Amino acid sequence: KGKDENPVAVSAKRKEMLNLSLEEYKKYRSEVVKGFIKASKILVENHIYNARDLPYSTQLVPMAAILAKLGDKIENIGNKNKLMRWFWCGVFGELYGSANETRYALDLVQVIDWIEKDGIEPKSIYDANFSPSRLHTLRTRNSAAYKGVYALLLNENTRDWLSGTKIDLSTYFAESIDIHHIFPVVWCERNKLPRNDFDCIINKTPLSGPTNKFVSGDAPSKYLERLKKKLNVSEEVFTDILKSHVVNPDFLYSNDFYSFLADRKEQILQRIER
């Protein structure tokens, strides 16, 4: 609104979208396009490299609108940190699954006010809640939080176990990076572990296709020795590569699944909290 204009209510309802005139659409189109492009770049910075791994396509709507409104102000690191806090609260609070129009409108007003004027924290941050037990139920990409954890696991200077190379935008596609089990399914079934335990996100990590094949269905103690021999690196370097996947190598070498599960769950929770 201008100095002498009355405030206009922000709405994201379909009816309001259809009421836009052609002139209004043309006026704001390029700004909105820039907002979506900025959003994609910021997501790549946070290790979300393709649409398949995007937690919520719906959250892109307010994110692009916020970025269109902020313009160059988003280049300020403090402003970007605030935006990403809002983003991750939406992901791990699982807030954008349905009936989002009201939240979109609040986000646009509240996030911009919070960033530009240091106003109160947005409702989407206040509403966000993550239960530790939720990690045990995250098993597929159908969940936004599952894909959120996957992105956080890539934020550790993560290196592939077989090639030793850092997983980033270039290697992600070149080496067919995907999320795979740490304690292999075949081994877990052979040892009669419940699927609900071994198939959750806590027992998964980003690995290349060739690495997953190399791991096969062997016990961790067995495939780690083969990996170390194949890599031909020192014990210290190999340990660092393993730890870049947020694991305690001791539990892998001893094939201690439940100690591994408890330790990694706590480490993932710390990263969500951060």
Side-chain angles (χ1 to χ4, degrees):
K1 64 183 176 67
K3 184 178 180 183
D4 301 317
E5 294 175 331
N6 292 322
V8 178
V10 175
S11 173
K13 295 186 184 299
R14 187 169 301 181
K15 179 182 71 173
E16 307 298 342
M17 300 298 104
L18 293 173
N19 281 339
L20 283 171
S21 68
L22 178 59
E23 289 71 27
E24 288 169 324
Y25 169 80
K26 286 180 175 179
K27 181 180 178 181
Y28 295 108
R29 180 189 180 281
S30 62
E31 290 180 42
V32 174
V33 169
K34 288 176 185 175
F36 275 105
I37 292 170
K38 281 185 180 177
S40 71
K41 290 178 179 177
I42 289 172
L43 291 174
V44 168
E45 289 173 11
N46 285 270
H47 313 288
I48 298 169
Y49 298 127
N50 60 21
R52 185 186 183 210
D53 295 322
L54 178 65
Y56 283 120
S57 59
T58 47
Q59 199 178 4
L60 272 183
V61 176
M63 189 176 189
I66 290 164
L67 287 166
K69 187 74 170 64
L70 287 174
D72 291 340
K73 292 178 183 176
I74 197 57
E75 303 307 324
N76 177 290
I77 189 63
N79 292 345
K80 187 179 285 188
N81 286 343
K82 280 186 171 181
L83 180 76
M84 293 318 298
R85 185 174 173 215
W86 162 81
F87 175 81
W88 290 118
C89 281
V91 171
F92 290 111
E94 297 183 282
L95 300 178
Y96 294 89
S98 61
N100 293 308
E101 290 89 350
T102 301
R103 188 172 298 281
Y104 288 170
L106 287 174
D107 282 341
L108 183 60
V109 175
Q110 294 178 352
V111 174
I112 289 172
D113 183 66
W114 181 47
I115 289 175
E116 290 188 330
K117 302 175 184 175
D118 204 25
I120 61 171
E121 286 185 353
K123 189 173 186 296
S124 291
I125 289 180
Y126 179 82
D127 287 347
N129 179 56
F130 187 82
S131 171
S133 62
R134 181 74 175 108
L135 286 175
H136 292 277
T137 63
L138 299 176
R139 300 190 189 99
T140 71
R141 277 186 170 87
N142 291 334
S143 164
Y146 178 99
K147 290 185 274 193
V149 173
Y150 183 30
L152 289 188
L153 290 172
L154 286 166
N155 194 40
E156 302 287 325
N157 286 317
T158 315
R159 296 168 65 185
D160 184 66
W161 286 349
L162 187 59
S163 66
T165 55
K166 181 182 175 182
I167 300 174
D168 55 20
L169 181 59
S170 59
T171 56
Y172 187 86
F173 295 102
E175 299 193 14
S176 303
I177 302 297
D178 204 347
I179 194 160
H180 295 289
H181 293 80
I182 296 172
F183 279 75
V185 172
V186 171
W187 184 89
C188 292
E189 289 177 339
R190 191 185 305 131
N191 286 273
K192 295 182 169 48
L193 298 178
R195 178 165 287 274
N196 286 353
D197 289 342
F198 71 74
D199 207 29
C200 69
I201 190 71
I202 308 171
N203 186 37
K204 295 179 182 179
T205 201
L207 295 172
S208 70
T211 302
N212 188 50
K213 288 181 181 178
F214 193 85
V215 164
S216 187
D218 290 337
S221 61
K222 190 173 180 180
Y223 74 66
L224 288 182
E225 289 299 333
R226 289 194 292 112
L227 281 169
K228 185 166 56 177
K229 189 174 181 181
K230 182 79 173 176
L231 268 172
N232 193 26
V233 293
S234 68
E235 187 75 39
E236 183 181 4
V237 170
F238 186 62
T239 298
D240 286 343
I241 291 172
L242 294 178
K243 286 183 175 179
S244 75
H245 289 256
V246 194
V247 299
N248 183 327
D250 293 342
F251 299 135
L252 298 184
Y253 280 115
S254 61
N255 300 323
D256 187 346
F257 176 77
Y258 283 105
S259 293
F260 153 81
L261 199 71
D263 176 76
R264 197 165 195 250
K265 176 183 176 181
E266 180 57 34
Q267 291 200 59
I268 291 172
L269 286 171
Q270 288 173 8
R271 283 153 179 81
I272 292 172
E273 182 179 14
R274 185 175 68 204

